[in-house]
Amino acid sequence: MSSSEALRPVGTADWASDQAQRRVRRRYAADRRLQAYGIIAIALAVGMLGVLLASLVSTGLPAFLQTKVELPIYVDPSQVDAEDPSSGKYRVLVREALNKAIPGIPEDEERSVGKILTSDAAYILRDYVVSHPDSIGKTITLPIAVSDPFDQLHKGVIPKEMNALTWSQVSYFERLQNRGVVVEDSGRTSLKLDVYVNPAEIEAGPPPSGDFAALARNSLQAYLPDVFDSALFGLLADDAPEAIAQRVAADPGIIGKTVPVLFPVSPPVAELAKGKTPKVLNSRFTPEQIKVFDAMEDKGLLRTPFNWELFFNADSRFPERAGLAGAISGSFYALMVCFLLSFPIGIAAAVYLEEFAPKNRFTDLIEVNINNLAAVPSVVFGLLGLAVFLGYFGLPRSAPLVGGMVLSLMTLPTIIIATRAALKAVPPSIREAALGVGASKHQVMMHHVLPLALPGILTGTIIGMAQALGETAPLLLIGMNAFIPSVENMGLLEPATSLPTQIFSWADSPERGFVSRTSAAILVLLGFLVIMNLIAITLRQMFQRKW
Amino acid sequence: MVERDYAMEAKVEERPAIRVEAPAVPKKKEGDLPVEQNELKMKASDVNLWYGEKQALFDVNLEMFDQSVTALIGPSGCGKSTFLRCLDRMNDVIDGVRITGDIRLDGEDIYAPRVDPVQLRARVGMVFQKPNPFPKSIFENVAYGPRIHGLCKSKAEFEEIVERSLTRAGLWEEVKDRLQEPGTGLSGGQQQRLCIARAISVNPEVLLMDEPCSALDPIATAKIETLMDDLRKNLCIVIVTHSMQQAARVSQRTAFFHLGKLVEVDDTTTIFTNPTDQRTQDYVTGRFG
């Protein structure tokens, strides 16, 4: 090929042709599509996060307030011995105070009305008197938390009254109405149903006998043959079967025949027939309790202050008294152990692997294994901790020491990987510069490389710590979900719980108040995570140096 | 941020314009002794070097004299930087490097087992291609070497050594009022002079320079070249350069490397005007490389 041939253009492009234009359009469309995918993905992610946060906040927010009664209590010296205030009859004092505040509580209702206050009311009073001995003989006003159902009632989470009929009962009634069997009979709403008075079951008497109730049910069932729901029979009044008995007594001749019978409906259904929504009192409350509670509200005794006890109380069986102090301090101890173990070990391991280790099969194996460790499910580390730390070394169960050790197994790979990445990111020119002026390997490391890698190391460490803070499974396995009713005996070797395991056990509790407290605890945990991440960012910016 | 002092940089004393045409013919300066009359500082004999299986240097024999600049030239990948790094054992830190032969500093084998590479690097300073000041203050950059080698005790001694080194590197006037500012805030040329000040702060006997001007503009380059001329009065300088003009301007002796072999070494004037080897002739006249 001659040189002139080689220079001859092979493909000539006609940039104005339709084909070329179409190509351009397709290219632009592809660019836009790619962008759109990204935007959709981000929108989805942000949306889900938003939903999560919104649901957490909406369910968790009530837990940050707590309904309390400001009850004036006369600390009667005859009930409390000033010499030994810890063993007074505080239950009596609280009951008396309640009686005084809301006069006219019938004696047989005192017990149930007392349940408006938390079951810990007497202990709250005792703790107050013990720490303020001069209050004996005086009247003190003590805010006492109300028990969970009333707390929820006051916050409007649960209603005072509930629908008397289920929606399916309402729909059955509407179907009966459509068939025209609902009639008014001498002031009572009744169902006019055809009844086959079965001679095999009904005796004429007198008095007539037999299973009238079953007969009534069967005849109602015959109108709605597709319904197999015992709630259907709730539509009939309790005295409905007697309608058959009366008809048989009046005319025994109907036995063996099919006759229309008027069955009165139950009172809520009668109300429904009048177009009202029938209500009954929430079964958690008695009428007397509601009366007293309303009276408290009218007298202005109820307050909903910020629930500091959520942060300063330890766990309790009663949601209104349960707090996170035990969990927070347990998490703190465990994280401290975790940090003290994994930070130095992680950095030392990473520095050796990155700077000193010879490159051979063995170090490759270690490297691969460390990277794999980061992907091991945390529950496996929990099992390891259970078998080794508890089983073999016999360390105490539920202790933050063991929790921290297990968590450090988890954070170690994270820290090692982050530290190695940070060390790798230090420009080689800095090492060369230091070596060039005669710094030893150790001096290069300590004076130059580590300080430059520090922001990355700290970020990795704090992210590892944040992971550890949220880790539940390994802590459950070593039993770090103990019930901690007091923060007095916290220590490295004492039984403890942690924030995520506390959330786990609260989520497991049936009381309504724990539902919102679970969400609130999650918010607190998220708050700590946000704080840790902020610290990571701040540290990174503080130590970041340009080169 | 530190503003770059362009005015300061522009104030360069008159220098011959940088010529781009080859060959560059250096002028013998007045008062220069013939290099061979200077003391022999470093001597490399039969140096072979392997990176793993690949041999990078083949039987290199080179003498470097005190109070003179030896330039190593040659095309990319010819082994001149590798050879330079042998002289202060910087290759030691690279995995899989094997060196045979014998390199002597003042007659002492620097690869002998009892020689500590860290002490050696204090005697043989190095300046790198890219300015690489520590991300610390200017003062700290210069004081670092004396500090780790325990050359100074008091603060006053540190201040003196920093001032002396910066003055010798021709940077003192420009930075004396901002010694506490980060060294990385200086301009490229200033940074490179800071690196030189850092290298000479521990009073090395030999200064190795690995393409010290390749990342700099002509004005900064000119400053560094002037500086090298001053420094060689009490130093042995070995410089790797891609610029033949630079080699011609600053060096007294020039060694031409090709494919890992030392092809020719002689007075700079001779290499550029009357080389013995055809390859040298081709390279310095720009026929290849």
Side-chain angles (χ1 to χ4, degrees), chain A residues 429 432-433 435 437-438 447-448, chain B residues 85 118 121 132 135 144 149 198:
Chain A
S429 64
E432 283 193 330
L435 284 174
V437 286
H447 296 171
H448 300 284
Chain B
R85 291 168 67 94
V118 168
R121 285 183 207 130
N132 55 357
Y144 181 71
H149 294 299
R198 183 177 65 192

Side-chain angles (χ1 to χ4, degrees), chain A residues 26-49:
Chain A
R26 267 213 303 274
R27 211 172 55 211
Y28 281 149
D31 285 355
R32 277 196 299 273
R33 244 186 346 260
L34 189 63
Q35 251 186 41
Y37 293 149
I39 291 171
I40 290 169
I42 288 173
L44 268 178
V46 170
M48 283 176 191
L49 191 68

Side-chain angles (χ1 to χ4, degrees), chain A residues 357-359 427-441 443-444 446-448 451-452 545-547, chain B residues 1 85 88 90 93 95 118-119 121-122 124-126 128 130 132-136 144-145 148-149 184 198-199 202:
Chain A
K359 299 275 170 285
S429 64
I430 295 293
R431 288 167 219 262
E432 283 193 330
L435 284 174
V437 286
S440 68
K441 228 167 175 180
Q443 286 166 332
V444 174
M446 300 307 283
H447 296 171
H448 300 284
L452 287 177
R545 274 189 277 195
K546 294 190 189 80
W547 52 73
Chain B
M1 277 313 295
R85 291 168 67 94
D88 69 343
M90 281 294 270
V93 295
D95 277 333
V118 168
Q119 275 176 15
R121 285 183 207 130
V124 183
M126 190 153 188
F128 298 86
K130 218 178 123 227
N132 55 357
F134 299 132
K136 302 182 181 205
Y144 181 71
I148 59 172
H149 294 299
T184 41
R198 183 177 65 192
V202 289

